[in-house]
């Protein structure tokens, strides 16, 4: 028991003063931002508020990404709206909300337990950079109305940005000046070393107080909804709605997990430890299972809220715990005071957070740009999809692009290298002959992933066998995986027949035992004949040497027979 407590203590670490202040700032942000996201998606705004209480606490206690704040995001809210609408359910019914949130939690936990986080490793860096940059832009466009009182029209985010910039005449002066003042106070606070880490919180408090004193007529949190002075009560799900929400819950979970996947690269752990995608999947699932029982909308790793916490100086997971606890205290003790926070203040600070997230991706964008044209195209396509299409569709497009990039890279990995012994008996690399020389043992080392996409390149790289009488090709397959593509095995069968018909022989050397078993089941072992497959040994060139001796003896016996 004591050891378990000690391990838990090491995992949680000691909260710092900055953790407490950043948690307080994040908790305050959760009031207007959570309520606004819920309201935009047609849900009860209070359900968005409650998404900032239990989920951040449970998520921060269990996530491997230390600074990740698990709460409601605009993308999750909008995807949840689609799930509820598709099922034909009332978005204001607490039982329906609880059912959706619990199902999302179940999907996330299952994906984490089944270690499906590996799927995210197949998403290329170029796609993730494009996706996270698009999400950052979505964060900014989502608060245009809060910051300036003008919601620009447009069928996608890029058009909305253009219409917002060119529609300055539609900006409400009071809201705009409050947002500008907020950014200005933040910028000044950043210049003062002692309060640099608290710049976001300082800007929120100073400008909110100034607006109250001056009586500036701008939208307040109270204009969105009334904050009840009580903690969320136990909410039981509408069990009958769950079958209708299953598909929608999967979509919400995928959107949330895809968003959260961009948090770890953007906000690495301060202690240098590595994040686990599977652990983060499970943590977000636990957060939703707990939140669903206490009136919260679905939640996931929030890049904007994590950015707020990190911007104020969060160093441990206590920042997320404090944010949930502090929000609960604010709701109970001074909900009416929190209702006085001006929406333009929140809009201005979220614009700052979004801009910082975009700026933080500049080096990654430059790296992708200089890496390859194909990666650059994938980045641009993912960014365009994220800013112009529903997020669930953008995720599918990103996954397809990642798969295409993987296939192309796999196809390019194929390499055949000739091996030959020098006078001292050492093996040296040499060129692969275009045609197998007759009465000779030729050794070629295969290097590749054995992926079906590399089949055309492999087929064209193998030597021609038309004049390979009494020739032996030793193909070293030490790098071939245990379970190769069936297309590669069919190619080896076909090449072996062609070489046999030409009067030659194929010998496979350095074969892994598991791969040899696969060849046995597929019949390739029988076609190669006795000693046609020589399994791997601790000595790297041991199987090659044996194969060369076998080939030499075979050639000599053929010549003797002739």
């Amino acid at each position: 028991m004591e050891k378990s407590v000690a391990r838990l203590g090491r995992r949680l670490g000691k909260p710092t003063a900055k953790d407490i202040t950043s948690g307080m700032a994040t908790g305050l942000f959760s009031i207007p931002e959570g309520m606004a996201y819920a309201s935009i998606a047609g849900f009860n705004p209070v359900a968005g508020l409650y998404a900032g209480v239990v989920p951040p606490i449970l998520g921060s206690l269990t996530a491997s990404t230390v600074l990740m704040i698990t709460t409601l995001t605009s993308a999750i809210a909008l995807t949840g709206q689609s799930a509820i609408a598709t099922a034909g359910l009332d978005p204001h019914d607490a039982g329906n909300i609880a059912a959706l949130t619990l199902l999302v939690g179940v999907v996330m936990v299952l994906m984490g337990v089944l270690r499906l986080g590996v799927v995210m490793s197949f998403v290329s860096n170029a796609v993730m950079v494009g996706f996270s940059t698009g999400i950052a832009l979505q964060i900014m466009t989502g608060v245009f109305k809060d910051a300036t009182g003008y919601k620009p029209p447009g069928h996608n985010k890029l058009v909305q940005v253009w219409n917002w910039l060119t529609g300055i005449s539609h900006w409400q002066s009071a809201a705009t000046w409050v947002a500008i003042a907020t950014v200005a106070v933040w910028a000044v606070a950043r210049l003062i070393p002692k309060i640099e880490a608290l710049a976001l919180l300082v800007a929120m408090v100073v400008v909110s107080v100034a607006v109250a004193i001056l009586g500036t007529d701008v939208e307040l949190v109270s204009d969105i909804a009334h904050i009840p002075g009580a903690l969320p009560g136990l909410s039981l799900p509408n069990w009958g709605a769950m079958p209708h929400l299953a598909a929608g819950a999967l979509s919400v979970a995928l959107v949330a997990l895809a968003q959260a996947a961009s948090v770890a690269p953007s906000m690495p752990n301060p202690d240098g430890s590595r994040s686990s995608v599977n652990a983060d999947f499970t943590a977000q699932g636990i957060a939703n299972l707990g939140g669903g029982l206490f009136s919260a909308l679905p939640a996931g790793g929030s890049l904007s809220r994590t950015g707020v916490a990190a911007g104020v100086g969060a160093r441990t997971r206590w920042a997320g715990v404090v944010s949930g606890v502090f929000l609960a205290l604010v709701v109970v003790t001074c909900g009416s005071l929190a209702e006085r926070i001006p929406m333009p203040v929140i809009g201005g600070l979220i614009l700052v957070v979004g801009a910082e997230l975009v700026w933080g991706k500049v080096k990654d964008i430059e790296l992708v740009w200089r890496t390859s044209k194909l990666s650059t195209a994938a980045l641009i396509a993912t960014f365009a999809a994220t800013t112009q299409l529903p997020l669930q569709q953008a995720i599918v497009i990103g996954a397809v692009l990642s798969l295409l990039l993987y296939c192309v890279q796999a196809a390019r990995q194929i390499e055949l290298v000739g091996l030959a012994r020098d006078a001292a008996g050492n093996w040296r690399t040499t060129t692969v002959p275009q045609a197998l020389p007759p009465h000779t043992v030729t050794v070629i080392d295969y290097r590749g992933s054995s992926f079906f996409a590399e089949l055309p390149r492999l087929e064209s790289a193998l030597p021609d066998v038309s004049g390979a009488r009494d020739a032996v090709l030793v193909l070293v397959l030490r790098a071939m995986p245990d379970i190769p593509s069936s297309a590669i095995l069919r190619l080896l069968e076909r090449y072996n027949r062609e070489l046999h018909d030409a009067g030659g022989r194929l010998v496979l050397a350095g074969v892994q035992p598991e791969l040899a078993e696969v060849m046995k089941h597929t019949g390739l072992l029988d076609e190669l004949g006795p000693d046609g497959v020589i399994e791997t040994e601790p000595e790297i060139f041991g199987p090659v040497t044996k194969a060369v001796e076998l080939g030499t003896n075979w050639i000599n016996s053929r010549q003797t027979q002739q």
Side-chain angles (χ1 to χ4, degrees):
M1 180 66 179
E2 292 181 358
K3 292 183 178 180
S4 300
V5 173
R7 283 197 299 268
L8 180 61
R10 288 194 298 270
R11 175 181 175 83
L12 295 178
K14 294 181 179 180
T16 65
K18 290 183 177 180
D19 289 327
I20 296 174
T21 53
S22 65
M24 293 170 63
T26 307
L28 289 176
F29 263 83
S30 296
I31 297 173
E33 196 175 46
M35 296 176 73
Y37 290 158
S39 179
I40 291 172
F43 293 109
N44 184 343
V46 177
L49 173 68
Y50 287 156
V53 178
V54 175
I57 296 174
L58 295 179
S60 294
L61 287 174
T62 55
S64 67
T65 301
V66 172
L67 300 183
M68 185 173 71
I69 305 296
T70 304
T71 188
L72 178 67
T73 68
S74 58
I76 294 175
L78 293 173
T79 310
Q81 176 196 43
S82 176
I84 291 287
T86 301
L89 300 172
D90 181 8
H92 289 272
D93 187 293
N96 294 335
I97 301 302
L100 176 62
T101 304
L102 288 173
L103 281 176
V104 170
V106 170
V107 172
M108 289 178 167
V109 169
L110 286 176
M111 293 186 70
V113 171
L114 296 176
R115 306 189 68 79
L116 295 181
V118 69
V119 175
M120 299 307 301
S121 65
F122 287 94
V123 180
S124 72
N125 179 63
V127 168
M128 284 305 301
V129 170
F131 182 76
S132 56
T133 306
I135 289 295
L137 185 64
Q138 280 201 14
I139 291 171
M140 298 173 68
T141 57
V143 295
F144 281 165
K145 183 179 184 300
D146 295 329
T148 62
Y150 171 57
K151 183 178 181 179
H155 62 283
N156 64 64
K157 303 305 177 184
L158 295 176
V159 172
Q160 290 175 15
V161 171
W162 174 256
N163 290 335
W164 183 67
L165 292 173
T166 58
I168 295 180
S169 59
H170 298 290
W171 293 9
Q172 296 178 9
S173 58
T176 302
W177 282 114
V178 170
I180 292 175
T182 302
V183 176
V185 173
W186 167 83
V188 171
R190 291 269 293 178
L191 298 176
I192 304 174
K194 290 185 178 181
I195 61 172
E196 179 182 1
L198 304 176
L200 290 170
L201 184 58
V202 169
M204 175 186 287
V205 173
V206 169
V207 180
S208 295
V209 171
V211 168
I213 294 174
L214 297 175
T216 308
D217 185 18
V218 294
E219 185 179 35
L220 305 177
V221 170
S222 58
D223 296 322
I224 298 177
H226 168 66
I227 299 178
L231 292 175
L234 183 66
S235 58
L236 297 178
N238 179 359
W239 301 106
M242 285 190 169
H244 306 287
L245 289 171
L250 177 61
S251 298
V252 175
L254 292 177
V255 167
L257 294 176
Q259 279 191 296
S262 65
V263 173
S266 301
M267 304 290 175
N269 291 341
D271 59 1
S273 61
R274 297 182 62 182
S275 297
S276 167
V277 178
N278 291 312
D280 285 344
F281 278 15
T282 304
Q284 292 170 83
I286 293 172
N288 278 291
L289 290 176
L293 294 175
F294 291 96
S295 306
L297 279 168
S302 170
L303 192 58
S304 64
R305 218 71 58 86
T306 304
V308 170
V312 181
R315 300 297 298 170
T316 72
R317 61 183 71 249
W318 281 105
V321 176
V322 170
S323 72
V325 173
F326 183 72
L327 177 58
L329 292 175
V330 170
V331 169
V332 173
T333 61
C334 50
S336 59
L337 184 61
E339 291 178 352
R340 302 296 299 171
I341 299 175
M343 293 304 297
V345 170
I346 298 301
L349 293 181
I350 293 299
L351 286 177
V352 168
V353 171
E356 285 187 319
L357 291 173
V358 172
W359 181 253
K361 292 296 177 184
V362 169
K363 290 185 178 180
D364 292 329
I365 294 172
E366 290 179 353
L367 177 62
V368 173
W369 186 275
R370 295 174 181 174
T371 300
S372 72
K373 293 181 180 179
L374 192 61
S375 295
T376 302
L379 184 153
I380 295 173
T382 307
F383 174 79
T386 306
T387 55
Q388 299 186 44
L389 299 173
L391 203 54
Q392 56 267 41
Q393 296 181 19
I395 291 172
V396 173
I397 291 174
V400 172
L401 288 174
S402 295
L403 178 60
L404 290 176
L405 284 175
Y406 177 78
C407 291
V408 171
Q409 293 298 330
R412 290 178 175 177
Q413 285 178 3
I414 171 63
E415 182 182 11
L416 296 181
V417 179
L419 296 177
R421 268 182 166 171
D422 58 18
N426 299 317
W427 289 97
R428 303 288 185 183
T429 60
T430 183
T431 58
V432 176
Q434 293 185 350
L436 280 181
H439 315 294
T440 305
V441 177
T442 302
V443 181
I444 297 177
D445 183 38
Y446 163 84
R447 300 174 185 176
S449 63
S450 185
F451 196 60
F452 66 84
E454 70 185 29
L455 185 63
R457 292 172 64 91
L458 175 59
E459 198 162 15
S460 63
L462 287 170
D464 179 61
V465 300
S466 57
R469 184 170 181 79
D470 294 339
V472 175
L473 172 61
V474 176
L475 190 59
V476 184
L477 301 181
R478 187 179 181 88
M480 182 172 282
D482 298 343
I483 305 178
S485 165
S486 59
I488 299 296
L489 294 179
R490 288 179 63 89
L491 170 61
L492 292 176
E493 290 179 0
R494 185 167 63 252
Y495 190 81
N496 176 63
R497 292 194 191 104
E498 292 175 357
L499 182 54
H500 181 270
D501 293 342
R505 184 178 181 187
L506 175 65
V507 178
L508 305 181
V511 178
Q512 300 291 340
E514 295 83 358
L515 177 57
E517 192 67 22
V518 172
M519 291 179 174
K520 178 180 179 181
H521 289 309
T522 58
L524 178 58
L525 205 61
D526 294 334
E527 293 204 23
L528 291 172
D531 300 321
V533 172
I534 301 177
E535 294 187 10
T536 185
E537 297 177 1
E539 183 184 351
I540 294 178
F541 286 102
V544 180
T545 302
K546 289 183 180 180
V548 171
E549 292 177 355
L550 179 91
T552 302
N553 293 335
W554 183 81
I555 292 174
N556 291 336
S557 66
R558 294 269 293 185
Q559 291 177 343
T560 301
Q561 292 175 3
Q562 294 173 2

